[in-house]
Each structure stands twice: as C-alpha cells, then as structure tokens.
Amino acid sequence: MSVGIKDVARVAAVSPATVSRVLAGRAVDPAMRDRVVAAVRETGYRPNLAARRLRSRHSNTIGLIVADIRNPFFTAVARMVEGIAYEHGLRVIFSNTDEDAAKEAMYLQLMQEERVTGVILAPTRHGVDNIAQYQSDFPIVLIDRAASDGACDSVVLDNGAMAARLVAHLHACGHRRITGLFGTATVTGNERCAGYERAMADFGLSAHAVRVPHERAEAERIVTDLLADESRRPGALIVSNGVMLLSVLRAINALGLTIPRDIAITSFDNEPWMEFVGGGLSVIEQPVEEIGRVAVTMLLDRLDHADQVTRRVVLAGRFIARGSAG
Amino acid sequence: MSVGIKDVARVAAVSPATVSRVLAGRAVDPAMRDRVVAAVRETGYRPNLAARRLRSRHSNTIGLIVADIRNPFFTAVARMVEGIAYEHGLRVIFSNTDEDAAKEAMYLQLMQEERVTGVILAPTRHGVDNIAQYQSDFPIVLIDRAASDGACDSVVLDNGAMAARLVAHLHACGHRRITGLFGTATVTGNERCAGYERAMADFGLSAHAVRVPHERAEAERIVTDLLADESRRPGALIVSNGVMLLSVLRAINALGLTIPRDIAITSFDNEPWMEFVGGGLSVIEQPVEEIGRVAVTMLLDRLDHADQVTRRVVLAGRFIARGSAG
DNA sequence: ATAGGCTGAGAGAACGTTTTCTCTACCCGA
DNA sequence: TCGGGTAGAGAAAACGTTCTCTCAGCCTAT
C-alpha cells in the first residue's frame, strides 16, 4: 500500500489539509511546517498527481503534437518547449502524428481527456484545414504550419522572405536556372513556393516549382527524374526542408553528381551534419529556441485572456552561407 | 461545465455504472449499449483520465526517459517505443535528461507521482550506478546503457562484439594504427572500449583508446589535438556514437583533412546523412526497432512476473560497409 | 414446479487529493 | 476591557470515475 497524505498527516500529527497547504507553499505555522516536512521525508510520501488533478481541476500540463518526429527541426522545438514549459511549472505530453490526420485527431482527443491546459500543434495538412471547426476546451497554438485565417494563435517562419533569400543568394552566385522543391502536404510548402516564385519574378527569371510528396520513395523518384537528364538539369535547387533534402542528396549521389560543380543546393533547416556535405550546405536556419519560447508564451497569454484576438507571430530565419551554391 | 459520466447516464436513462461498463467494453444489454453510445455521441462526452486513473489505480502509462534527445538514436527508439506501447493500449510519457543526473532523479520522481506502470530508461552515468539503490514502485527496463550487476532488466547492444567488428573491418582495409574514441560518461563507452582493446590485441596491434567527454567543445579540442600532428596521426578512427562523430568531423574539416585519404573513419550509429559524408561512412547500425520492442515487452513481462529473475537481452548490430575506411 | 445458479443492472462507497466552510485564538484599536 | 477583524487549523465535502455489493430476473436441471 502506498503512502498517502493522510499517513503523512498522522505522522506529523496535523490534519491532511495542513499537509496539503505545506506542500502548496501556503501560510502555515513554522513549527507545523517543519513537522510536516519531516514527516514527508520520513514516510517517503509522493503526491498522487491523478488525485491532485482531479480535485484541483487543472492539470498543469500542456500537449505538444508534431507531425514528424524524424524531422530534427521538430525534435529541436520539442526540446525547447519542454525546457521552457518546465520553467513555468508545466509538464509536457508529447505526441507524434507521422503526418497522419487520423492520429492527429486521436491525439487531440487524448489531450482533451487528459484535460491539458493547452496544446502546441504542428498540424498535418488535414489538421490545418480543420482546426477551426475542431472545438476543444483548451487553446491551441499552431507552430511551423498555420492557416492564415486566424482561427488560432500561431508562430511561423517568414517562409516567403526566407525562400526569397535563398533565391537572392543563388542569383548572386550566378545561377539563373533555379528550381524549387516544395512539399505538397503543408501550407509551409505553399508559402515557401510562393516566396520563391515572387523572388524569381523580381529577378526576371522564370520560376520552376516542383511539388514533392512527403513519401520518401516517391520523392526520390521525382528528384531523380528532374536531375537525370543533363540538358534539362537545373543549375541550382532550393529544397523546402531537411527531410526532403535527404531524398535530394540520395538522388544526387545515385546519379554520381557533385555539389556544387554539377548542381548547387540550398535548403531550409540547419543540422550539424550539413556543414560536411557538398562543401557545406547553404541553408536557412530556423530560430528554434525562439519558436518554442514564443509558442509557450502565447499559450500562457491566451489562458489569461481567452477572448483576446488571435495573433500570428512571424519570425525571421538566419541564412547561413556555406559552399554549396558554388 | 464539462460533461461527465453522470450526464451521459441521465441522457441514456441508465446508471453511471452502466455507462462505465459500456465504455470498458464489458457485457451490457445491447439495447442499453446502443442508448449509451448514442448518448456519448450526443453529449460529446470525453472521459476524465485523471479520475479514471485515480479510481482504477492504474495509469496505463509508461515513462520513457532518455539521456540525450539530440542523439537521433534515442529519438528513433522513442518513436518505436511509442508505437509499440500504443499497440498495447499504453500511453507514453517522454522525458529528456540531457545527461544531467539531477534531472534524471527528478524525472524518476515525477514518474513515481504519475504512478506509471513502468519506466524505460537510458540512464546517465550516475543513474547506472545508482539505479539499484533507487527504489521505485514500478519496474524499470534499462536500454542502451546498463550495468552488468543485474539490478534491472535491460536491453543493450553487443557493444564489445560490434567494436571488434569495426576493428576487423579496418584491419581488413589495411589499417594498423587504429585509435578508438569512447565516451567517458557511459558504460556503453566502457564496453565498446574493452571490445576494441581485445580485438586489437587479437590482431597483435597495440590499442590506443581515447576517452572523450560528452561536452562538445572539449570533445572537439581533444580530437583536434589527436589529429593535428601528421606524424602522430592515427590511420583510422573508431567513434563511439553519432554525436561524438560530429565533433570528429568538425575537427577533420577544420584541419582540412579528407576521408578516407588522410584518415579512415568508422562509427557506431547510422543516420541518413552518413552515406553522403567521407564517401559514405562505414558504421554499426543499431537495431532500433528491436530495442524498442524488446524493452516494452520486457516491461510488460515484468509486470506479470514481478519476482522473476532479471534478464539482460543483448542484441547484435548490423555492420554497414561504405567507403570511409578506404 | 421449484430450487439453485448465473447474468447483468443500479446504489453507493472508494480512490487521494484540494477546497470550502467553520471555528478558535490572537491581535489591535477604542 | 471588550469587540471586531484576521490568520490559520481542522472537518468534511467534492472532484469524476470504477468497483463492490446487492438484488432482480431468468434459465436450467432435477
């Protein structure tokens, strides 16, 4: 039988309510407090969080649901969110949907059942469209991918501007035949694609955007097709994220091409290994820490001001020039 | 006010107990069952997990605590554990200690408070030594790093044999001056180091093992020192894990060396990008899926047979030969 | 036909906390 | 000195479920 608050109370010769007050740090006679603290130590008492949550009616827990844990960007964000939430005395329940709308719905349901304080969500394509009509008891902050309809608070990268930044870099390196590879499954892909096309137009270049599905084999096939024929091969590539980049590199490797001699590469997302490939990959690094911090802060803000108008925070990324653009 | 089981009962004109039985899938009159199901749908009822856990006295939750979420090996394991646990109807609470013994102790405490069914733990150095005397109400399965004292169930890689496999490969490639880089902080590092030294001895070679701390700057300095002087430079390196490998590659890059011309590299852990560096890195791939599956299975087994003798499952890795050994 | 067993439904206790309510004791000002 | 206000302690209710216990009704076997 595990030790409960009543056992502690008995040992300390006080009431259970007093033990509760000591544990919550409320005003208690110092002598009693000492007795309670001693009793807690002596009995090895650990509060039962289920009981605490049930009675107090708040879970002090936030949910974090990401669409693809294999994407290191999301693991980095998760790490930050966990740290920042902890600073605020909040626990984090973490879930991964693998870009599966059904899993996403299930996890949102689960968060509901856990009675979480709020949720930070990197939604699937389906989730973005349906989040407005999904009614939950907790506030949701969207990260990385957000509809522009303002149904939720959100924090996103300035995708259009960052895509343009990559175009500008490639242009400055002398490239003119620049192809953009963007995901089919996310609004992020849409925004980056739009930014790319606008920037290309600004430079008087004709844009050539290719939409690449998330599924790996398919992605590799498409990229291989794109690069196989030397006469049609673009001079430079803009890749929409770190996962897609792997497919691109596999295709390039399989075709025996060299970066940047045969083709220039730039990409979104920065990872430690990217400085070792293709003479160092030139990339947009996302402000991971800031994203996590802002997301948690917005969530807490929303809890205090439930009816405040929704906000959308747009963060700039950092361009890192290395050698892959020639 | 949120809707509870009593509200559903009222709508369905049955008792709360019957609603509970329907939800738990127990035998109930079909007509009643239909009424309850309809009422649940109509009211949008979501069970309160805190209340359920409090009353039923089991959380259906396992804890997963890893020492370093930045290590992709652990994120891969986490993904698998989550999936497999889900198949068994178990939720997973995920935590990351960043190799910090204090955080580890805190999270173990937290798991206690959550009344988890069991914990899967990749312990810090300190945790390995103290896990025996840390008494918890739940069983613990150690992964990746486990003391050999049999205090807990554990599932680990056959570290010694795998290190020997790398030595054999390098030897076959003609290398004789093979240096091993192993972590200071883990028993895993110890085991791999021992396997390396034994294999070197078997080949009649003199071993040169260097212990590298987890801290990045320090690691980089040590590796740079090791490789800077051409006359003392080893011909080949065995690197103990994917995180350390990044420090090694940074040092190699900074010194302007080329793999495998100036130095051969082999490592533990396989990640997607490794085929693109140094002509493809030859590595030991860990059986991530199997590790996750075995860990969960052992945990469930232990719950059924609390007093069974502890087991240690040792899994083989897969050697992947690419070009980095010359 | 009737006793005995079995199935399934409802009433109410129980899970381990926090919170509300009540009461005592003390302090301060008049 | 006395009254009013306040601080802090204990008793008991409450949180939303599941579980235990009781009992009704039905089926089967003798």
Side-chain angles (χ1 to χ4, degrees):
Chain A
M1 197 55 196
S2 117
V3 27
I5 204 170
K6 291 178 187 173
D7 303 306
V8 178
R10 189 162 15 81
V11 171
V14 300
S15 74
T18 300
V19 177
S20 176
R21 282 188 268 257
V22 170
L23 264 39
R26 280 202 276 269
V28 168
D29 181 276
M32 280 191 153
R33 171 181 305 274
D34 292 347
R35 287 218 307 280
V36 169
V37 169
V40 166
R41 199 178 309 266
E42 180 186 334
T43 57
Y45 168 72
R46 288 288 99 211
N48 181 321
L49 289 184
R52 174 174 290 179
R53 291 201 264 253
L54 172 61
R55 173 60 238 215
S56 70
R57 306 180 63 88
H58 42 72
S59 61
N60 283 333
T61 298
I62 65 175
L64 173 60
I65 307 179
V66 303
D68 183 9
I69 187 60
R70 274 169 305 191
N71 186 334
F73 165 68
F74 286 121
T75 76
V77 170
R79 211 173 96 91
M80 292 314 305
V81 166
E82 208 264 351
I84 294 158
Y86 181 72
E87 290 171 12
H88 289 88
L90 296 168
R91 225 166 310 298
V92 177
I93 298 182
F94 186 83
S95 310
N96 167 47
T97 65
D98 278 329
E99 305 282 3
D100 178 339
K103 283 183 85 174
E104 182 176 67
M106 185 209 53
Y107 278 126
L108 279 168
Q109 193 114 292
L110 203 62
M111 296 298 173
Q112 194 96 251
E113 299 183 0
E114 294 274 8
R115 302 296 192 269
V116 294
T117 304
V119 162
I120 295 174
L121 171 65
T124 64
R125 171 80 223 177
H126 185 269
V128 169
D129 297 336
N130 295 69
I131 197 68
Q133 68 199 64
Y134 183 93
Q135 67 146 5
S136 53
D137 298 336
F138 44 75
I140 296 179
V141 172
L142 264 25
I143 60 173
D144 185 56
R145 311 153 170 197
S148 44
D149 60 7
C152 288
D153 291 317
S154 56
V155 39
V156 295
L157 191 71
D158 190 349
N159 288 304
M162 293 301 109
R165 182 75 188 77
L166 292 180
V167 172
H169 176 68
L170 289 169
H171 186 269
C173 291
H175 292 287
R176 294 300 176 264
R177 302 186 55 232
I178 304 171
T179 291
L181 268 33
F182 304 98
T184 54
T186 65
V187 290
T188 303
N190 293 347
E191 290 176 9
R192 292 175 185 177
C193 185
Y196 155 78
E197 288 172 337
R198 209 174 320 116
M200 290 295 279
D202 289 350
F203 281 112
L205 303 175
S206 72
H208 177 35
V210 179
R211 306 307 292 254
V212 181
H214 181 259
E215 200 269 311
R216 170 176 155 170
E218 183 75 358
E220 237 170 289
R221 195 185 55 71
I222 289 176
V223 177
T224 304
D225 284 357
L226 178 71
L227 301 182
D229 183 357
E230 187 177 347
S231 63
R232 295 191 307 112
R233 187 153 66 220
L237 245 39
I238 291 176
V239 186
S240 193
N241 64 65
V243 175
M244 190 185 298
L245 178 62
L246 289 171
S247 291
V248 170
L249 292 177
R250 267 182 229 110
I252 287 175
N253 228 29
L255 293 169
L257 304 178
T258 301
I259 305 168
R261 199 193 59 199
D262 300 315
I263 187 154
I265 299 286
T266 60
S267 178
F268 281 79
D269 296 345
N270 186 34
E271 295 171 37
W273 57 268
M274 291 185 181
E275 56 179 304
F276 310 124
V277 174
L281 262 23
S282 295
V283 296
I284 299 289
E285 180 181 63
Q286 299 206 49
V288 172
E289 182 165 352
E290 196 64 12
I291 290 172
R293 184 174 305 280
V294 171
V296 174
T297 307
M298 285 182 96
L299 200 52
L300 296 174
D301 260 30
R302 173 63 56 191
L303 293 169
D304 293 339
H305 312 97
D307 46 7
Q308 183 176 282
V309 63
T310 63
R311 290 178 301 166
R312 177 186 177 88
V313 173
V314 179
L315 299 173
R318 189 166 67 95
F319 175 67
I320 301 176
R322 292 194 274 238
S324 64
Chain B
M1 197 55 198
S2 116
V3 26
I5 203 171
K6 290 179 186 172
D7 303 305
V8 177
R10 189 162 13 80
V11 171
V14 299
S15 73
T18 300
V19 177
S20 176
R21 281 188 271 257
V22 170
L23 264 41
R26 281 202 274 270
V28 169
D29 181 277
M32 280 188 153
R33 171 182 304 275
D34 292 346
R35 288 217 308 281
V36 169
V37 169
V40 166
R41 199 178 310 264
E42 180 187 334
T43 56
Y45 167 72
R46 287 288 99 211
N48 181 320
L49 288 184
R52 174 174 290 180
R53 291 201 263 253
L54 172 60
R55 174 59 237 215
S56 71
R57 306 181 64 89
H58 43 73
S59 61
N60 283 333
T61 298
I62 65 175
L64 174 60
I65 307 179
V66 303
D68 183 10
I69 188 60
R70 275 169 304 192
N71 187 335
F73 165 68
F74 286 121
T75 78
V77 170
R79 210 173 97 91
M80 291 315 304
V81 166
E82 208 264 352
I84 294 159
Y86 180 72
E87 289 171 14
H88 288 88
L90 296 169
R91 226 165 311 298
V92 176
I93 298 182
F94 186 83
S95 311
N96 167 47
T97 64
D98 279 328
E99 305 282 3
D100 178 339
K103 283 183 86 175
E104 182 176 68
M106 186 209 50
Y107 279 125
L108 278 168
Q109 192 115 293
L110 203 61
M111 295 299 171
Q112 193 97 250
E113 298 182 1
E114 294 276 7
R115 303 296 193 266
V116 295
T117 304
V119 162
I120 296 174
L121 171 66
T124 63
R125 171 80 222 178
H126 185 268
V128 169
D129 296 337
N130 295 69
I131 198 68
Q133 69 199 64
Y134 184 93
Q135 67 147 5
S136 53
D137 298 337
F138 44 75
I140 296 179
V141 172
L142 263 26
I143 60 173
D144 185 57
R145 310 154 170 196
S148 44
D149 60 7
C152 288
D153 291 316
S154 56
V155 38
V156 295
L157 191 71
D158 190 348
N159 288 304
M162 294 301 110
R165 182 74 188 77
L166 292 180
V167 172
H169 177 68
L170 289 168
H171 186 268
C173 290
H175 292 286
R176 295 300 176 264
R177 303 187 55 234
I178 304 171
T179 291
L181 268 32
F182 304 98
T184 54
T186 65
V187 289
T188 303
N190 292 347
E191 291 176 9
R192 292 175 185 177
C193 185
Y196 155 78
E197 288 173 336
R198 208 174 320 117
M200 290 294 280
D202 288 348
F203 281 113
L205 303 174
S206 71
H208 177 35
V210 178
R211 307 306 294 254
V212 180
H214 181 259
E215 200 270 309
R216 170 176 155 171
E218 184 75 358
E220 238 171 288
R221 194 185 57 71
I222 289 175
V223 176
T224 303
D225 283 357
L226 178 71
L227 301 182
D229 183 357
E230 187 176 346
S231 62
R232 295 190 307 112
R233 186 152 67 219
L237 247 38
I238 291 176
V239 185
S240 192
N241 65 65
V243 174
M244 190 185 298
L245 178 62
L246 289 171
S247 291
V248 170
L249 292 177
R250 267 182 228 111
I252 287 175
N253 228 28
L255 293 170
L257 305 178
T258 301
I259 305 168
R261 198 194 59 200
D262 300 317
I263 186 153
I265 300 286
T266 61
S267 179
F268 282 79
D269 295 346
N270 186 34
E271 294 171 38
W273 58 268
M274 291 186 182
E275 55 179 304
F276 311 124
V277 174
L281 263 23
S282 296
V283 296
I284 299 289
E285 180 180 64
Q286 298 206 49
V288 172
E289 181 164 353
E290 196 64 13
I291 291 172
R293 183 173 307 278
V294 171
V296 175
T297 307
M298 285 181 96
L299 200 51
L300 296 175
D301 260 30
R302 172 63 55 191
L303 293 169
D304 292 339
H305 311 98
D307 46 5
Q308 183 176 280
V309 62
T310 63
R311 289 178 302 167
R312 177 187 179 89
V313 174
V314 179
L315 299 173
R318 189 166 66 97
F319 175 67
I320 300 177
R322 293 194 274 239
S324 65

